[in-house]
């Protein structure tokens, strides 16, 4: 997309004409993609720096013998018996 825009700008400059509607469409699309990319980077940066608290399953069942769906005790009985 950027290469096409560059080529269009070179031709327009050489001919002394105005930029076509296609150029402006590319520019709008490029700007929209840029906004999404910058927003994603901001979110990733926030997650790396802020390290928001997680609500882990493991922290909820601390001190208990029961695992996911209560299967830990059943598995121990099967393996030991």
């Amino acid at each position: 997309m950027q290469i096409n825009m560059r080529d269009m700008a070179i031709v327009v400059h050489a001919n002394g004409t105005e930029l076509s509607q296609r150029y402006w469409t590319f520019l709008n699309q490029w700007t929209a993609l840029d906004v999404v990319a910058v927003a994603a980077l901001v979110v990733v940066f926030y997650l790396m720096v802020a390290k928001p608290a997680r609500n882990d399953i493991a922290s909820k069942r601390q001190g208990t013998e029961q695992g996911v769906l209560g299967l830990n005790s059943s598995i121990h009985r099967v393996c030991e018996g």
Side-chain angles (χ1 to χ4, degrees), residues 63-75:
T64 66
E65 291 296 319
Q66 203 170 24
V68 178
L69 301 176
L71 297 177
N72 275 357
S73 57
S74 302
I75 292 171

Side-chain angles (χ1 to χ4, degrees), residues 18-77:
E18 292 188 17
L19 292 167
S20 67
Q21 184 59 37
R22 185 170 181 219
Y23 178 87
W24 297 111
T25 301
F26 279 160
L27 182 63
N28 290 336
Q29 291 172 351
W30 184 255
T31 303
L33 291 171
D34 187 44
V35 168
V36 172
V38 169
L41 287 174
V42 168
V43 168
V44 169
F45 181 77
Y46 169 77
L47 291 173
M48 287 190 311
V49 173
K51 296 182 184 174
R54 296 183 338 171
N55 200 2
D56 288 337
I57 293 173
S59 66
K60 286 183 179 179
R61 56 185 171 97
Q62 237 175 358
T64 66
E65 291 296 319
Q66 203 170 24
V68 178
L69 301 176
L71 297 177
N72 275 357
S73 57
S74 302
I75 292 171
H76 287 295
R77 276 186 251 131

